[in-house]
Amino acid sequence: MSESGEMREFGYILELLTKGKVIIKNIERELICPACKELFTHPLILPCQHSICHKCVKELLLTLDDSFNDVGSDNSNQSSPRLRLPSPSMDKIDRINRPGWKRNSLTPRTTIFPCPGCEHDVDLGERGINGLFRNFTLETIVERYRQAARAATAIMCDLCKPPPQESTKSCMDCSASYCNECFKIHHPWGTIKAQHEYVGPTTNFRPKILMCPEHETERINMYCELCRRPVCHLCKLGGNHANHRVTTMSSAYKTLKEKLSKDIDYLIGKESQVKSQISELNLLMKETECNGERAKEEAITHFEKLFEILEERKSSVLKAIDSSKKLRLDKFQTQMEEYQGLLENNGLVGYAQEVLKETDQSCFVQTAKQLHLRIQKATESLKSFRPAAQTSFEDYVVNTSKQTELLGELSFFSSGIDVPEINEEQSKVYNNALINWHHPEKDKADSYVLEYRKINREDEMSWNEIEVCGTSKIIQDLENSSTYAFRVRAYKGSICSPCSRELILHTPPAPVFSFLFDEKCGYNNEHLLLNLKRDRVESRAGFNLLLAAERIQVGYYTSLDYIIGDTGITKGKHFWAFRVEPYSYLVKVGVASSDKLQEWLRSPRDAVSPRYEQDSGHDSGSEDACFDSSQPFTLVTIGMKKFFIPKSPTSSNEPENRVLPMPTSIGIFLDYDKGKVSFYDMDHMKCLYERQVDCSHTLYPAFALMGSGGIQLEEPITAKYLEYQEDM
């Protein structure tokens, strides 16, 4: 479309704006960047078709790079950053150990970030920002919106000497603005510059021809219908779009323009319908307000009835307790009076002694009979003391457990909506929390509300709520080393189901440390098999091992095959997790320093048994030694579905006390600053074993395998992880 044609179309839109047919606020909403919340500046089109400012893309990538090099997440403090370091190849380890060498970080270029518009991960590929198209159409509309809707400030001449004059023209070929005098000077008649295209003052200089970002010398002349983006002929011949269906640019322009124009005309033609719908919405809002107040009054009435019942029961219970208390106190009072009378027995005894002096038998018998009964009663009271009533009110304790549970589940009438059930097996916490739930009647629920809160012994934390359309959700920004409760309820319209049973999950003690297996440093491809993603390794006791053993007629020692992480740690707190396959025969996991790795990986495999090398790190038991001083590595043994706790002076050396069932997932927590490493059961986030480790050098995640075995690194929980789970 020509410049004059675009101006006419934009003038038509402005005319609609002035007539009130289109609200300015609605147009401005379309021209605001989802990242910076301001009008677009040099917008770029992401692969997901959303636009974002050029500077915002850069800031997002820089932020991710900083967090990539930081201890891990926004939750970590600034005192514990981490460095992404290259794997300790033999040459690099030599450089590390040379005097005067300074350790530095090699940070990989981050090209994946979440789109601020749709929150899906966007991969910019190898070319990064250079592979994105600039949205010139949106950029033009934004500038015209500024000029028309906000009376844009004057654009000054770029060539004037200070003070600059107000520009009257802008040259699209020179990408500069000029006043009348400067324009005549720099575009003299009879020169090539006199033929340049010029427009009114503007700051939006767009190229005349759109070039391909992948093939910079080729112009865009086709449109890929699969990827929905313009391409050049080289992209179609041998590039990423070779097998995609493409169409000519003119055909795509015509088709899309017709669709867009038709949709715009339809929307404009439905003005009366929209107004009636707005009136209907206003009525619905008033009706909702009235119904809401009525519902509140009904709820208050129901609760007041409950309060009345509780008050009645409270009065009845307290009355029963008071009656029982009065009866018991009366009995105690009577008994106390009887015993008070015993104190007066001294007079009774004196009277009895005087009666004994009576010598007339008839007179004695007449008096002594009644006296004997009184003395006998006093004697029996002294022989067996028994309280007249009980002091305990155990029978009067009010049992409200059932009622408390029922009141806790008190909710709106669900109208047949079943309670969702959280799937504990598929819900987990790692770098983020992934919560999955199941609803028996999934189609009957419009949406769900996931609630979560941190469990704090001191204060009762309030619930955080997130509305979810599906049956799973990823929760970010949880605090480390904390316990969280999760629950979910279903909604259909304005009716909600009761909350599900709460799920309690424990977050890791530190930010998650991301790394992959190193395929270069010490990797033995004859015994170990590494997958393409480098997050899984398997040990194979294959044909080569049989041949080696067949040639040996005496005892044969099989060494461990080591593999390490591709990222080193020099400071901060870090946590990573992995799974050891149940069929694994012997696996060692932990951390090791760069100098110790150099010693292990250079040790001869066919030499004598490492049991004679007290610090070789092989299966010599050396990791159980040196308890008083920290050593430059710590490894624990896992195998045959067992977790073996290393020997220590403080723990029992009995085998049954040192052997635990192997956890489904194992976590390692390294506190580099304090020189401590801990091993966790990820299912319950319980520490199984911890000890000191020497952190004077760079530490790496270390693994070793012997015989058949397999190790799978835990995959970080991201949006892609959620999509994969849904596909499964």
Side-chain angles (χ1 to χ4, degrees):
M1 181 182 291
S2 64
E3 185 73 20
S4 60
E6 289 182 352
M7 285 297 294
R8 284 196 301 271
E9 184 173 345
F10 192 75
Y12 173 65
I13 296 175
L14 290 180
E15 183 180 355
L16 294 176
L17 287 172
T18 56
K19 292 181 179 180
K21 292 187 176 182
V22 181
I23 301 175
I24 286 183
K25 184 184 295 184
N26 293 342
I27 286 188
E28 184 176 359
R29 184 174 57 188
E30 299 297 328
L31 307 182
I32 290 179
C33 173
C36 62
K37 307 302 180 184
E38 297 178 357
L39 290 175
F40 281 106
T41 305
H42 305 307
L44 301 177
I45 304 176
L46 300 178
C48 60
Q49 301 303 309
H50 290 98
S51 295
I52 184 174
C53 296
H54 183 274
K55 61 179 179 62
C56 294
V57 177
K58 280 188 173 182
E59 290 175 358
L60 281 172
L61 294 177
L62 287 174
T63 302
L64 289 175
D65 276 340
D66 291 340
S67 64
F68 193 67
N69 292 320
D70 202 14
V71 166
S73 68
D74 299 334
N75 298 331
S76 60
N77 53 38
Q78 297 181 358
S79 63
S80 59
R82 86 175 186 209
L83 296 177
R84 298 283 296 188
L85 297 176
S87 303
S89 62
M90 306 312 299
D91 294 335
K92 292 175 182 177
I93 291 178
D94 287 340
R95 290 198 298 270
I96 292 174
N97 291 327
R98 288 174 189 168
W101 184 88
K102 294 183 179 181
R103 187 182 296 112
N104 61 357
S105 63
L106 298 179
T107 304
R109 187 181 183 87
T110 304
T111 60
I112 300 178
F113 65 94
C115 169
C118 60
E119 297 184 355
H120 284 86
D121 285 345
V122 174
D123 191 352
L124 301 184
E126 296 179 357
R127 293 182 58 82
I129 298 179
N130 296 329
L132 298 177
F133 280 108
R134 187 167 162 185
N135 197 338
F136 290 107
T137 302
L138 177 59
E139 193 170 339
T140 302
I141 296 174
V142 168
E143 183 182 355
R144 290 173 180 169
Y145 171 80
R146 285 195 179 104
Q147 295 176 358
R150 300 199 314 180
T153 57
I155 298 175
M156 309 308 292
C157 177
D158 295 328
L159 280 301
C160 277
K161 295 181 180 179
Q165 300 295 317
E166 184 176 344
S167 63
T168 58
K169 299 180 181 66
S170 292
C171 180
M172 302 304 293
D173 295 277
C174 301
S175 298
S177 298
Y178 301 89
C179 65
N180 286 330
E181 296 298 326
C182 291
F183 185 81
K184 293 176 182 179
I185 294 173
H186 292 86
H187 296 77
W189 288 102
T191 63
I192 298 177
K193 285 191 174 182
Q195 301 176 6
H196 285 186
E197 178 186 358
Y198 62 91
V199 295
T202 181
T203 58
N204 177 32
F205 300 100
R206 54 190 291 178
K208 294 182 179 179
I209 301 175
L210 198 60
M211 308 302 290
C212 177
E214 296 185 13
H215 310 95
E216 298 177 355
T217 59
E218 300 295 328
R219 63 181 295 177
I220 295 298
N221 55 6
M222 288 182 287
Y223 181 78
C224 178
E225 295 182 354
L226 180 62
C227 302
R228 295 184 298 174
R229 62 176 294 173
V231 295
C232 69
H233 71 281
L234 291 182
C235 294
K236 174 59 180 174
L237 290 176
N240 297 329
H241 307 270
N243 298 322
H244 297 179
R245 181 179 176 181
V246 298
T247 184
T248 62
M249 187 60 67
S250 59
S251 176
Y253 170 78
K254 183 179 179 181
T255 302
L256 292 175
K257 186 178 179 69
E258 287 178 356
K259 289 182 179 179
L260 184 59
S261 300
K262 191 178 296 184
D263 292 339
I264 291 175
D265 292 339
Y266 175 81
L267 290 175
I268 295 176
K270 294 292 183 179
E271 179 184 359
S272 59
Q273 180 180 344
V274 172
K275 287 184 176 180
S276 64
Q277 290 174 348
I278 291 175
S279 301
E280 183 179 353
L281 289 174
N282 285 326
L283 293 176
L284 291 176
M285 289 175 63
K286 293 179 180 178
E287 184 179 352
T288 301
E289 187 174 352
C290 294
N291 291 340
E293 293 299 324
R294 189 181 302 114
K296 283 175 61 177
E297 293 175 0
E298 292 178 357
I300 292 173
T301 302
H302 288 301
F303 277 102
E304 286 179 350
K305 288 182 179 178
L306 289 177
F307 294 153
E308 291 176 3
I309 295 173
L310 287 174
E311 286 294 335
E312 182 182 349
R313 294 300 302 160
K314 174 184 174 183
S315 176
S316 175
V317 168
L318 294 180
K319 186 176 180 181
I321 293 175
D322 287 337
S323 299
S324 178
K325 181 180 72 172
K326 184 175 182 304
L327 179 61
R328 297 183 189 192
L329 290 176
D330 290 342
K331 290 183 178 181
F332 280 125
Q333 183 64 33
T334 302
Q335 188 177 22
M336 188 174 63
E337 290 176 355
E338 291 179 357
Y339 276 82
Q340 190 71 30
L342 293 178
L343 296 178
E344 303 172 358
N345 283 344
N346 292 332
L348 179 62
V349 172
Y351 174 68
Q353 290 176 347
E354 293 297 328
V355 170
L356 287 174
K357 296 178 181 179
E358 178 61 48
T359 56
D360 188 322
Q361 295 180 357
S362 299
C363 294
F364 177 79
V365 171
Q366 182 183 9
T367 307
K369 182 62 178 176
Q370 183 64 27
L371 181 60
H372 181 262
L373 292 175
R374 292 175 62 191
I375 292 179
Q376 190 176 16
K377 185 177 180 180
T379 304
E380 290 176 356
S381 299
L382 291 173
K383 287 181 179 179
S384 58
F385 174 74
R386 184 174 300 171
Q390 293 183 353
T391 59
S392 173
F393 279 79
E394 294 179 354
D395 296 338
Y396 288 85
V397 175
V398 180
N399 183 9
T400 60
S401 56
K402 277 187 178 181
Q403 290 75 10
T404 302
E405 184 177 354
L406 289 174
L407 288 174
E409 297 177 356
L410 184 64
S411 183
F412 301 106
F413 178 60
S414 63
S415 185
I417 300 181
D418 293 331
V419 181
E421 298 176 1
I422 295 182
N423 191 326
E424 297 186 11
E425 295 181 357
Q426 295 183 3
S427 300
K428 58 183 292 188
V429 166
Y430 192 37
N431 58 320
N432 297 314
L434 171 63
I435 308 299
N436 276 283
W437 59 88
H438 169 71
H439 197 212
E441 299 182 8
K442 183 178 180 181
D443 295 336
K444 286 193 174 183
D446 298 332
S447 62
Y448 301 88
V449 171
L450 175 63
E451 299 180 349
Y452 68 96
R453 69 176 179 182
K454 181 182 177 182
I455 298 178
N456 195 331
R457 295 181 179 179
E458 299 177 356
D459 302 322
E460 186 73 14
M461 306 293 288
S462 59
W463 290 93
N464 300 297
E465 295 186 353
I466 301 178
E467 186 174 357
V468 186
C469 294
T471 56
S472 58
K473 182 63 178 177
I474 293 177
I475 308 297
Q476 301 177 342
D477 300 329
L478 298 180
E479 295 183 17
N480 296 318
S481 190
S482 301
T483 303
Y484 283 85
F486 301 87
R487 67 185 187 186
V488 65
R489 63 178 184 267
Y491 271 87
K492 181 174 177 59
S494 59
I495 305 300
C496 73
S497 70
C499 290
S500 66
R501 185 169 54 86
E502 292 183 11
L503 173 66
I504 307 298
L505 294 176
H506 305 275
T507 57
V512 170
F513 181 68
S514 299
F515 67 91
L516 299 173
F517 288 120
D518 194 333
E519 59 183 348
K520 298 178 181 179
C521 181
Y523 173 61
N524 183 1
N525 56 9
E526 293 183 359
H527 296 169
L528 299 179
L529 177 63
L530 193 62
N531 67 348
L532 294 177
K533 294 173 64 177
R534 294 196 291 124
D535 63 351
R536 179 181 176 84
V537 64
E538 294 182 357
S539 173
R540 300 175 295 180
F543 190 66
N544 294 333
L545 185 61
L546 284 177
L547 288 178
E550 190 270 338
R551 293 193 297 267
I552 304 297
Q553 301 301 323
V554 295
Y556 178 71
Y557 178 82
T558 303
S559 63
L560 290 166
D561 292 303
Y562 282 88
I563 188 168
I564 63 173
D566 63 351
T567 306
I569 300 172
T570 58
K571 60 178 68 174
K573 298 178 181 179
H574 311 275
F575 182 86
W576 62 93
F578 50 88
R579 298 190 303 274
V580 176
E581 297 297 340
Y583 63 81
S584 301
Y585 173 67
L586 189 151
V587 174
K588 286 182 176 288
V589 297
V591 295
S593 65
S594 54
D595 59 338
K596 180 54 65 174
L597 288 171
Q598 180 186 19
E599 178 184 340
W600 288 349
L601 300 178
R602 281 188 170 177
S603 61
R605 292 183 178 273
D606 297 328
V608 295
S609 169
R611 286 196 174 274
Y612 296 101
E613 303 173 16
Q614 292 300 317
D615 204 16
S616 67
H618 293 282
D619 191 22
S620 59
S622 60
E623 64 265 31
D624 299 333
C626 306
F627 298 108
D628 297 333
S629 60
S630 60
Q631 55 193 19
F633 69 97
T634 293
L635 300 173
V636 298
T637 303
I638 302 169
M640 302 178 68
K641 300 182 180 180
K642 303 293 182 183
F643 182 94
F644 299 89
I645 298 179
K647 296 179 181 179
S648 66
T650 58
S651 65
S652 172
N653 291 329
E654 296 297 329
E656 58 270 15
N657 296 328
R658 296 177 51 237
V659 179
L660 303 175
M662 183 180 73
T664 305
S665 182
I666 300 168
I668 296 180
F669 169 41
L670 174 64
D671 190 339
Y672 189 96
D673 300 330
K674 293 184 178 180
K676 185 174 67 174
V677 61
S678 307
F679 298 82
Y680 278 75
D681 177 358
M682 272 286 292
D683 293 337
H684 306 92
M685 206 58 70
K686 176 184 177 183
C687 182
L688 303 176
Y689 172 70
E690 68 178 13
R691 65 154 298 155
Q692 295 296 121
V693 63
D694 182 9
C695 294
S696 58
H697 295 81
T698 304
L699 290 181
Y700 292 85
F703 307 84
L705 301 93
M706 181 193 296
S708 297
I711 301 173
Q712 173 70 55
L713 299 179
E714 280 288 348
E715 183 179 359
I717 300 174
T718 60
K720 286 187 176 181
Y721 181 91
L722 182 58
E723 292 174 3
Y724 173 76
Q725 292 291 106
E726 291 176 350
D727 293 339
M728 293 294 289

